[in-house]
PDB file of all heavy atoms in Angstrom:
ATOM      1  N   GLY A 194       0.951  -1.745  -3.754  1.00  0.00           N
ATOM      2  CA  GLY A 194       0.197  -0.606  -4.246  1.00  0.00           C
ATOM      3  C   GLY A 194       0.741   0.677  -3.650  1.00  0.00           C
ATOM      4  O   GLY A 194       1.552   0.661  -2.714  1.00  0.00           O
ATOM      5  N   ALA A 195       0.284   1.796  -4.178  1.00  0.00           N
ATOM      6  CA  ALA A 195       0.781   3.086  -3.701  1.00  0.00           C
ATOM      7  C   ALA A 195       0.289   3.397  -2.290  1.00  0.00           C
ATOM      8  O   ALA A 195       0.956   4.117  -1.539  1.00  0.00           O
ATOM      9  CB  ALA A 195       0.354   4.187  -4.665  1.00  0.00           C
ATOM     10  N   ASP A 196      -0.875   2.873  -1.921  1.00  0.00           N
ATOM     11  CA  ASP A 196      -1.445   3.119  -0.592  1.00  0.00           C
ATOM     12  C   ASP A 196      -1.350   1.836   0.218  1.00  0.00           C
ATOM     13  O   ASP A 196      -1.941   0.817  -0.142  1.00  0.00           O
ATOM     14  CB  ASP A 196      -2.905   3.568  -0.711  1.00  0.00           C
ATOM     15  CG  ASP A 196      -3.031   4.833  -1.527  1.00  0.00           C
ATOM     16  OD1 ASP A 196      -2.551   5.881  -1.068  1.00  0.00           O
ATOM     17  OD2 ASP A 196      -3.601   4.764  -2.640  1.00  0.00           O
ATOM     18  N   ARG A 197      -0.622   1.893   1.327  1.00  0.00           N
ATOM     19  CA  ARG A 197      -0.410   0.696   2.135  1.00  0.00           C
ATOM     20  C   ARG A 197      -0.796   0.972   3.580  1.00  0.00           C
ATOM     21  O   ARG A 197      -0.401   1.990   4.158  1.00  0.00           O
ATOM     22  CB  ARG A 197       1.056   0.249   2.046  1.00  0.00           C
ATOM     23  CG  ARG A 197       1.454  -0.160   0.635  1.00  0.00           C
ATOM     24  CD  ARG A 197       2.892  -0.633   0.559  1.00  0.00           C
ATOM     25  NE  ARG A 197       3.863   0.429   0.790  1.00  0.00           N
ATOM     26  CZ  ARG A 197       4.221   1.336  -0.114  1.00  0.00           C
ATOM     27  NH1 ARG A 197       3.656   1.334  -1.319  1.00  0.00           N
ATOM     28  NH2 ARG A 197       5.124   2.254   0.174  1.00  0.00           N
ATOM     29  N   ALA A 198      -1.551   0.049   4.154  1.00  0.00           N
ATOM     30  CA  ALA A 198      -2.038   0.226   5.515  1.00  0.00           C
ATOM     31  C   ALA A 198      -0.981  -0.097   6.554  1.00  0.00           C
ATOM     32  O   ALA A 198      -1.075   0.362   7.698  1.00  0.00           O
ATOM     33  CB  ALA A 198      -3.276  -0.651   5.746  1.00  0.00           C
ATOM     34  N   PHE A 199       0.040  -0.872   6.162  1.00  0.00           N
ATOM     35  CA  PHE A 199       1.035  -1.323   7.130  1.00  0.00           C
ATOM     36  C   PHE A 199       2.408  -1.269   6.481  1.00  0.00           C
ATOM     37  O   PHE A 199       2.577  -1.655   5.318  1.00  0.00           O
ATOM     38  CB  PHE A 199       0.705  -2.754   7.575  1.00  0.00           C
ATOM     39  CG  PHE A 199       1.683  -3.349   8.544  1.00  0.00           C
ATOM     40  CD1 PHE A 199       1.803  -2.832   9.827  1.00  0.00           C
ATOM     41  CD2 PHE A 199       2.489  -4.409   8.183  1.00  0.00           C
ATOM     42  CE1 PHE A 199       2.710  -3.378  10.734  1.00  0.00           C
ATOM     43  CE2 PHE A 199       3.392  -4.969   9.072  1.00  0.00           C
ATOM     44  CZ  PHE A 199       3.502  -4.442  10.350  1.00  0.00           C
ATOM     45  N   ASP A 200       3.400  -0.795   7.235  1.00  0.00           N
ATOM     46  CA  ASP A 200       4.760  -0.645   6.725  1.00  0.00           C
ATOM     47  C   ASP A 200       5.521  -1.971   6.860  1.00  0.00           C
ATOM     48  O   ASP A 200       6.200  -2.212   7.863  1.00  0.00           O
ATOM     49  CB  ASP A 200       5.477   0.472   7.495  1.00  0.00           C
ATOM     50  CG  ASP A 200       6.899   0.707   6.995  1.00  0.00           C
ATOM     51  OD1 ASP A 200       7.262   0.160   5.928  1.00  0.00           O
ATOM     52  OD2 ASP A 200       7.645   1.430   7.683  1.00  0.00           O
ATOM     53  N   ILE A 201       5.397  -2.811   5.844  1.00  0.00           N
ATOM     54  CA  ILE A 201       6.048  -4.119   5.864  1.00  0.00           C
ATOM     55  C   ILE A 201       7.563  -3.961   5.841  1.00  0.00           C
ATOM     56  O   ILE A 201       8.291  -4.654   6.573  1.00  0.00           O
ATOM     57  CB  ILE A 201       5.554  -4.972   4.687  1.00  0.00           C
ATOM     58  CG1 ILE A 201       4.126  -5.437   4.981  1.00  0.00           C
ATOM     59  CG2 ILE A 201       6.463  -6.166   4.431  1.00  0.00           C
ATOM     60  CD1 ILE A 201       3.473  -6.170   3.857  1.00  0.00           C
ATOM     61  N   ALA A 202       8.067  -3.064   5.007  1.00  0.00           N
ATOM     62  CA  ALA A 202       9.514  -2.860   4.922  1.00  0.00           C
ATOM     63  C   ALA A 202      10.089  -2.437   6.268  1.00  0.00           C
ATOM     64  O   ALA A 202      11.140  -2.928   6.702  1.00  0.00           O
ATOM     65  CB  ALA A 202       9.837  -1.828   3.849  1.00  0.00           C
ATOM     66  N   GLY A 203       9.403  -1.531   6.938  1.00  0.00           N
ATOM     67  CA  GLY A 203       9.870  -1.073   8.240  1.00  0.00           C
ATOM     68  C   GLY A 203       9.846  -2.174   9.284  1.00  0.00           C
ATOM     69  O   GLY A 203      10.760  -2.303  10.107  1.00  0.00           O
ATOM     70  N   ALA A 204       8.776  -2.987   9.247  1.00  0.00           N
ATOM     71  CA  ALA A 204       8.660  -4.079  10.214  1.00  0.00           C
ATOM     72  C   ALA A 204       9.739  -5.129   9.988  1.00  0.00           C
ATOM     73  O   ALA A 204      10.332  -5.648  10.948  1.00  0.00           O
ATOM     74  CB  ALA A 204       7.274  -4.712  10.114  1.00  0.00           C
ATOM     75  N   LEU A 205      10.036  -5.443   8.737  1.00  0.00           N
ATOM     76  CA  LEU A 205      11.064  -6.440   8.443  1.00  0.00           C
ATOM     77  C   LEU A 205      12.468  -5.913   8.726  1.00  0.00           C
ATOM     78  O   LEU A 205      13.381  -6.687   9.033  1.00  0.00           O
ATOM     79  CB  LEU A 205      10.941  -6.892   6.988  1.00  0.00           C
ATOM     80  CG  LEU A 205       9.783  -7.858   6.707  1.00  0.00           C
ATOM     81  CD1 LEU A 205       9.570  -8.025   5.211  1.00  0.00           C
ATOM     82  CD2 LEU A 205      10.039  -9.213   7.368  1.00  0.00           C
ATOM     83  N   ALA A 206      12.633  -4.600   8.623  1.00  0.00           N
ATOM     84  CA  ALA A 206      13.953  -4.011   8.910  1.00  0.00           C
ATOM     85  C   ALA A 206      14.367  -4.255  10.355  1.00  0.00           C
ATOM     86  O   ALA A 206      15.563  -4.328  10.658  1.00  0.00           O
ATOM     87  CB  ALA A 206      13.927  -2.516   8.612  1.00  0.00           C
ATOM     88  N   ARG A 207      13.401  -4.413  11.241  1.00  0.00           N
ATOM     89  CA  ARG A 207      13.731  -4.677  12.640  1.00  0.00           C
ATOM     90  C   ARG A 207      14.390  -6.040  12.818  1.00  0.00           C
ATOM     91  O   ARG A 207      15.028  -6.300  13.832  1.00  0.00           O
ATOM     92  CB  ARG A 207      12.466  -4.568  13.494  1.00  0.00           C
ATOM     93  CG  ARG A 207      11.929  -3.140  13.604  1.00  0.00           C
ATOM     94  CD  ARG A 207      10.947  -2.997  14.737  1.00  0.00           C
ATOM     95  NE  ARG A 207       9.678  -3.646  14.452  1.00  0.00           N
ATOM     96  CZ  ARG A 207       8.660  -3.054  13.851  1.00  0.00           C
ATOM     97  NH1 ARG A 207       8.768  -1.797  13.458  1.00  0.00           N
ATOM     98  NH2 ARG A 207       7.542  -3.704  13.645  1.00  0.00           N
ATOM     99  N   TYR A 208      14.196  -6.898  11.816  1.00  0.00           N
ATOM    100  CA  TYR A 208      14.859  -8.210  11.823  1.00  0.00           C
ATOM    101  C   TYR A 208      16.077  -8.218  10.895  1.00  0.00           C
ATOM    102  O   TYR A 208      16.575  -9.273  10.531  1.00  0.00           O
ATOM    103  CB  TYR A 208      13.880  -9.297  11.387  1.00  0.00           C
ATOM    104  CG  TYR A 208      12.669  -9.423  12.282  1.00  0.00           C
ATOM    105  CD1 TYR A 208      11.454  -8.851  11.909  1.00  0.00           C
ATOM    106  CD2 TYR A 208      12.738 -10.100  13.493  1.00  0.00           C
ATOM    107  CE1 TYR A 208      10.329  -8.972  12.720  1.00  0.00           C
ATOM    108  CE2 TYR A 208      11.625 -10.227  14.317  1.00  0.00           C
ATOM    109  CZ  TYR A 208      10.420  -9.658  13.916  1.00  0.00           C
ATOM    110  OH  TYR A 208       9.314  -9.775  14.725  1.00  0.00           O
ATOM    111  N   GLU A 209      16.514  -7.047  10.490  1.00  0.00           N
ATOM    112  CA  GLU A 209      17.677  -6.853   9.623  1.00  0.00           C
ATOM    113  C   GLU A 209      17.453  -7.345   8.193  1.00  0.00           C
ATOM    114  O   GLU A 209      18.408  -7.615   7.469  1.00  0.00           O
ATOM    115  CB  GLU A 209      18.926  -7.512  10.234  1.00  0.00           C
ATOM    116  CG  GLU A 209      19.292  -6.932  11.600  1.00  0.00           C
ATOM    117  CD  GLU A 209      20.584  -7.525  12.148  1.00  0.00           C
ATOM    118  OE1 GLU A 209      21.171  -8.396  11.482  1.00  0.00           O
ATOM    119  OE2 GLU A 209      20.995  -7.104  13.244  1.00  0.00           O
ATOM    120  N   HIS A 210      16.197  -7.434   7.776  1.00  0.00           N
ATOM    121  CA  HIS A 210      15.894  -7.753   6.384  1.00  0.00           C
ATOM    122  C   HIS A 210      15.808  -6.451   5.580  1.00  0.00           C
ATOM    123  O   HIS A 210      15.401  -5.407   6.099  1.00  0.00           O
ATOM    124  CB  HIS A 210      14.553  -8.482   6.266  1.00  0.00           C
ATOM    125  CG  HIS A 210      14.516  -9.804   6.965  1.00  0.00           C
ATOM    126  ND1 HIS A 210      15.383 -10.825   6.687  1.00  0.00           N
ATOM    127  CD2 HIS A 210      13.692 -10.272   7.941  1.00  0.00           C
ATOM    128  CE1 HIS A 210      15.108 -11.872   7.447  1.00  0.00           C
ATOM    129  NE2 HIS A 210      14.083 -11.562   8.231  1.00  0.00           N
ATOM    130  N   GLU A 211      16.150  -6.538   4.313  1.00  0.00           N
ATOM    131  CA  GLU A 211      15.976  -5.413   3.393  1.00  0.00           C
ATOM    132  C   GLU A 211      14.781  -5.712   2.495  1.00  0.00           C
ATOM    133  O   GLU A 211      14.699  -6.783   1.899  1.00  0.00           O
ATOM    134  CB  GLU A 211      17.226  -5.212   2.525  1.00  0.00           C
ATOM    135  CG  GLU A 211      17.067  -4.072   1.517  1.00  0.00           C
ATOM    136  CD  GLU A 211      18.234  -3.973   0.550  1.00  0.00           C
ATOM    137  OE1 GLU A 211      19.178  -4.787   0.675  1.00  0.00           O
ATOM    138  OE2 GLU A 211      18.181  -3.106  -0.342  1.00  0.00           O
ATOM    139  N   THR A 212      13.869  -4.763   2.400  1.00  0.00           N
ATOM    140  CA  THR A 212      12.687  -4.929   1.553  1.00  0.00           C
ATOM    141  C   THR A 212      12.635  -3.800   0.539  1.00  0.00           C
ATOM    142  O   THR A 212      12.557  -2.621   0.912  1.00  0.00           O
ATOM    143  CB  THR A 212      11.396  -4.929   2.382  1.00  0.00           C
ATOM    144  OG1 THR A 212      11.482  -5.941   3.393  1.00  0.00           O
ATOM    145  CG2 THR A 212      10.189  -5.209   1.489  1.00  0.00           C
ATOM    146  N   VAL A 213      12.697  -4.154  -0.728  1.00  0.00           N
ATOM    147  CA  VAL A 213      12.603  -3.183  -1.819  1.00  0.00           C
ATOM    148  C   VAL A 213      11.144  -3.153  -2.273  1.00  0.00           C
ATOM    149  O   VAL A 213      10.591  -4.174  -2.690  1.00  0.00           O
ATOM    150  CB  VAL A 213      13.525  -3.571  -2.985  1.00  0.00           C
ATOM    151  CG1 VAL A 213      13.396  -2.550  -4.113  1.00  0.00           C
ATOM    152  CG2 VAL A 213      14.964  -3.674  -2.496  1.00  0.00           C
ATOM    153  N   VAL A 214      10.524  -1.985  -2.170  1.00  0.00           N
ATOM    154  CA  VAL A 214       9.114  -1.843  -2.517  1.00  0.00           C
ATOM    155  C   VAL A 214       8.986  -1.296  -3.936  1.00  0.00           C
ATOM    156  O   VAL A 214       9.608  -0.281  -4.272  1.00  0.00           O
ATOM    157  CB  VAL A 214       8.390  -0.901  -1.536  1.00  0.00           C
ATOM    158  CG1 VAL A 214       6.925  -0.743  -1.923  1.00  0.00           C
ATOM    159  CG2 VAL A 214       8.517  -1.427  -0.099  1.00  0.00           C
ATOM    160  N   VAL A 215       8.189  -1.968  -4.778  1.00  0.00           N
ATOM    161  CA  VAL A 215       7.865  -1.437  -6.096  1.00  0.00           C
ATOM    162  C   VAL A 215       6.355  -1.231  -6.154  1.00  0.00           C
ATOM    163  O   VAL A 215       5.567  -2.160  -5.938  1.00  0.00           O
ATOM    164  CB  VAL A 215       8.351  -2.365  -7.233  1.00  0.00           C
ATOM    165  CG1 VAL A 215       7.811  -3.777  -7.092  1.00  0.00           C
ATOM    166  CG2 VAL A 215       7.946  -1.786  -8.596  1.00  0.00           C
ATOM    167  N   GLU A 216       5.949   0.008  -6.370  1.00  0.00           N
ATOM    168  CA  GLU A 216       4.526   0.345  -6.440  1.00  0.00           C
ATOM    169  C   GLU A 216       4.031   0.108  -7.862  1.00  0.00           C
ATOM    170  O   GLU A 216       4.448   0.794  -8.805  1.00  0.00           O
ATOM    171  CB  GLU A 216       4.307   1.792  -6.013  1.00  0.00           C
ATOM    172  CG  GLU A 216       4.672   2.032  -4.552  1.00  0.00           C
ATOM    173  CD  GLU A 216       4.454   3.469  -4.111  1.00  0.00           C
ATOM    174  OE1 GLU A 216       4.178   4.327  -4.988  1.00  0.00           O
ATOM    175  OE2 GLU A 216       4.557   3.733  -2.896  1.00  0.00           O
ATOM    176  N   LEU A 217       3.155  -0.863  -8.024  1.00  0.00           N
ATOM    177  CA  LEU A 217       2.702  -1.298  -9.341  1.00  0.00           C
ATOM    178  C   LEU A 217       1.303  -0.810  -9.691  1.00  0.00           C
ATOM    179  O   LEU A 217       0.899  -0.878 -10.849  1.00  0.00           O
ATOM    180  CB  LEU A 217       2.747  -2.826  -9.421  1.00  0.00           C
ATOM    181  CG  LEU A 217       4.140  -3.447  -9.259  1.00  0.00           C
ATOM    182  CD1 LEU A 217       4.027  -4.956  -9.123  1.00  0.00           C
ATOM    183  CD2 LEU A 217       5.020  -3.073 -10.439  1.00  0.00           C
ATOM    184  N   TYR A 218       0.559  -0.326  -8.692  1.00  0.00           N
ATOM    185  CA  TYR A 218      -0.795   0.147  -8.970  1.00  0.00           C
ATOM    186  C   TYR A 218      -1.212   1.169  -7.923  1.00  0.00           C
ATOM    187  O   TYR A 218      -0.598   1.289  -6.855  1.00  0.00           O
ATOM    188  CB  TYR A 218      -1.799  -1.017  -8.990  1.00  0.00           C
ATOM    189  CG  TYR A 218      -2.031  -1.637  -7.632  1.00  0.00           C
ATOM    190  CD1 TYR A 218      -3.089  -1.237  -6.827  1.00  0.00           C
ATOM    191  CD2 TYR A 218      -1.190  -2.640  -7.145  1.00  0.00           C
ATOM    192  CE1 TYR A 218      -3.304  -1.797  -5.581  1.00  0.00           C
ATOM    193  CE2 TYR A 218      -1.388  -3.204  -5.903  1.00  0.00           C
ATOM    194  CZ  TYR A 218      -2.458  -2.782  -5.132  1.00  0.00           C
ATOM    195  OH  TYR A 218      -2.651  -3.335  -3.898  1.00  0.00           O
ATOM    196  N   ARG A 219      -2.246   1.910  -8.268  1.00  0.00           N
ATOM    197  CA  ARG A 219      -2.821   2.888  -7.351  1.00  0.00           C
ATOM    198  C   ARG A 219      -4.337   2.699  -7.347  1.00  0.00           C
ATOM    199  O   ARG A 219      -4.944   2.497  -8.403  1.00  0.00           O
ATOM    200  CB  ARG A 219      -2.473   4.298  -7.795  1.00  0.00           C
ATOM    201  CG  ARG A 219      -3.139   5.393  -6.969  1.00  0.00           C
ATOM    202  CD  ARG A 219      -3.007   6.759  -7.603  1.00  0.00           C
ATOM    203  NE  ARG A 219      -1.611   7.208  -7.662  1.00  0.00           N
ATOM    204  CZ  ARG A 219      -0.924   7.394  -8.763  1.00  0.00           C
ATOM    205  NH1 ARG A 219      -1.505   7.154  -9.947  1.00  0.00           N
ATOM    206  NH2 ARG A 219       0.317   7.803  -8.725  1.00  0.00           N
ATOM    207  N   ALA A 220      -4.922   2.765  -6.174  1.00  0.00           N
ATOM    208  CA  ALA A 220      -6.378   2.736  -6.061  1.00  0.00           C
ATOM    209  C   ALA A 220      -6.871   4.176  -5.954  1.00  0.00           C
ATOM    210  O   ALA A 220      -6.579   4.874  -4.980  1.00  0.00           O
ATOM    211  CB  ALA A 220      -6.805   1.939  -4.845  1.00  0.00           C
ATOM    212  N   THR A 221      -7.588   4.632  -6.977  1.00  0.00           N
ATOM    213  CA  THR A 221      -8.063   6.014  -7.038  1.00  0.00           C
ATOM    214  C   THR A 221      -9.510   6.085  -6.563  1.00  0.00           C
ATOM    215  O   THR A 221     -10.362   5.320  -7.022  1.00  0.00           O
ATOM    216  CB  THR A 221      -7.966   6.555  -8.470  1.00  0.00           C
ATOM    217  OG1 THR A 221      -6.605   6.475  -8.905  1.00  0.00           O
ATOM    218  CG2 THR A 221      -8.429   7.998  -8.540  1.00  0.00           C
ATOM    219  N   ALA A 222      -9.781   6.992  -5.643  1.00  0.00           N
ATOM    220  CA  ALA A 222     -11.121   7.120  -5.078  1.00  0.00           C
ATOM    221  C   ALA A 222     -12.061   7.840  -6.027  1.00  0.00           C
ATOM    222  O   ALA A 222     -11.675   8.784  -6.726  1.00  0.00           O
ATOM    223  CB  ALA A 222     -11.055   7.869  -3.748  1.00  0.00           C
ATOM    224  N   ALA A 223     -13.313   7.394  -6.041  1.00  0.00           N
ATOM    225  CA  ALA A 223     -14.348   8.066  -6.823  1.00  0.00           C
ATOM    226  C   ALA A 223     -14.596   9.463  -6.263  1.00  0.00           C
ATOM    227  O   ALA A 223     -14.366   9.727  -5.078  1.00  0.00           O
ATOM    228  CB  ALA A 223     -15.639   7.251  -6.792  1.00  0.00           C
ATOM    229  N   THR A 224     -15.074  10.350  -7.105  1.00  0.00           N
ATOM    230  CA  THR A 224     -15.346  11.717  -6.666  1.00  0.00           C
ATOM    231  C   THR A 224     -16.808  11.922  -6.275  1.00  0.00           C
ATOM    232  O   THR A 224     -17.163  12.952  -5.696  1.00  0.00           O
ATOM    233  CB  THR A 224     -14.983  12.720  -7.777  1.00  0.00           C
ATOM    234  OG1 THR A 224     -15.704  12.380  -8.972  1.00  0.00           O
ATOM    235  CG2 THR A 224     -13.488  12.673  -8.069  1.00  0.00           C
ATOM    236  N   GLU A 225     -17.647  10.955  -6.593  1.00  0.00           N
ATOM    237  CA  GLU A 225     -19.044  11.020  -6.172  1.00  0.00           C
ATOM    238  C   GLU A 225     -19.569   9.604  -5.967  1.00  0.00           C
ATOM    239  O   GLU A 225     -19.000   8.634  -6.483  1.00  0.00           O
ATOM    240  CB  GLU A 225     -19.910  11.764  -7.188  1.00  0.00           C
ATOM    241  CG  GLU A 225     -19.950  11.152  -8.559  1.00  0.00           C
ATOM    242  CD  GLU A 225     -20.766  11.984  -9.538  1.00  0.00           C
ATOM    243  OE1 GLU A 225     -20.994  13.175  -9.279  1.00  0.00           O
ATOM    244  OE2 GLU A 225     -21.182  11.424 -10.559  1.00  0.00           O
ATOM    245  N   LEU A 226     -20.616   9.473  -5.207  1.00  0.00           N
ATOM    246  CA  LEU A 226     -21.189   8.170  -4.905  1.00  0.00           C
ATOM    247  C   LEU A 226     -21.660   7.504  -6.198  1.00  0.00           C
ATOM    248  O   LEU A 226     -22.368   8.132  -6.995  1.00  0.00           O
ATOM    249  CB  LEU A 226     -22.371   8.337  -3.949  1.00  0.00           C
ATOM    250  CG  LEU A 226     -22.955   7.059  -3.345  1.00  0.00           C
ATOM    251  CD1 LEU A 226     -21.955   6.404  -2.404  1.00  0.00           C
ATOM    252  CD2 LEU A 226     -24.256   7.383  -2.624  1.00  0.00           C
ATOM    253  N   PRO A 227     -21.257   6.260  -6.455  1.00  0.00           N
ATOM    254  CA  PRO A 227     -21.726   5.581  -7.665  1.00  0.00           C
ATOM    255  C   PRO A 227     -23.249   5.577  -7.753  1.00  0.00           C
ATOM    256  O   PRO A 227     -23.942   5.449  -6.739  1.00  0.00           O
ATOM    257  CB  PRO A 227     -21.173   4.158  -7.493  1.00  0.00           C
ATOM    258  CG  PRO A 227     -19.959   4.326  -6.643  1.00  0.00           C
ATOM    259  CD  PRO A 227     -20.308   5.432  -5.684  1.00  0.00           C
ATOM    260  N   GLU A 228     -23.760   5.718  -8.965  1.00  0.00           N
ATOM    261  CA  GLU A 228     -25.207   5.818  -9.161  1.00  0.00           C
ATOM    262  C   GLU A 228     -25.938   4.610  -8.593  1.00  0.00           C
ATOM    263  O   GLU A 228     -27.009   4.741  -7.993  1.00  0.00           O
ATOM    264  CB  GLU A 228     -25.515   5.965 -10.651  1.00  0.00           C
ATOM    265  CG  GLU A 228     -26.995   6.139 -10.947  1.00  0.00           C
ATOM    266  CD  GLU A 228     -27.277   6.309 -12.432  1.00  0.00           C
ATOM    267  OE1 GLU A 228     -26.324   6.161 -13.228  1.00  0.00           O
ATOM    268  OE2 GLU A 228     -28.432   6.591 -12.789  1.00  0.00           O
ATOM    269  N   ALA A 229     -25.355   3.425  -8.766  1.00  0.00           N
ATOM    270  CA  ALA A 229     -26.022   2.220  -8.269  1.00  0.00           C
ATOM    271  C   ALA A 229     -26.211   2.275  -6.765  1.00  0.00           C
ATOM    272  O   ALA A 229     -27.249   1.849  -6.229  1.00  0.00           O
ATOM    273  CB  ALA A 229     -25.216   0.984  -8.659  1.00  0.00           C
ATOM    274  N   ALA A 230     -25.211   2.798  -6.059  1.00  0.00           N
ATOM    275  CA  ALA A 230     -25.322   2.919  -4.609  1.00  0.00           C
ATOM    276  C   ALA A 230     -26.357   3.970  -4.228  1.00  0.00           C
ATOM    277  O   ALA A 230     -27.161   3.762  -3.308  1.00  0.00           O
ATOM    278  CB  ALA A 230     -23.968   3.270  -4.005  1.00  0.00           C
ATOM    279  N   ALA A 231     -26.337   5.105  -4.912  1.00  0.00           N
ATOM    280  CA  ALA A 231     -27.293   6.175  -4.602  1.00  0.00           C
ATOM    281  C   ALA A 231     -28.731   5.704  -4.785  1.00  0.00           C
ATOM    282  O   ALA A 231     -29.598   5.962  -3.938  1.00  0.00           O
ATOM    283  CB  ALA A 231     -27.008   7.391  -5.482  1.00  0.00           C
TER     284      ALA A 231
END
């Protein structure tokens, strides 16, 4: 996804692996609290 909590490519690079990242989706935040929650 477009938002990642941990840099997998960077971590694997320390072991000399190459990681090609393809971002296939994005999680978009709501602009207001959902009515059901409110």
Side-chain angles (χ1 to χ4, degrees):
D196 301 293
R197 296 181 292 281
F199 178 67
D200 181 11
I201 286 174
L205 284 169
R207 291 196 288 271
Y208 300 100
E209 300 184 359
H210 297 302
E211 178 187 359
T212 305
V213 179
V214 179
V215 56
E216 296 180 351
L217 298 171
Y218 69 95
R219 175 192 295 114
T221 302
T224 56
E225 61 183 19
L226 190 67
E228 183 179 7

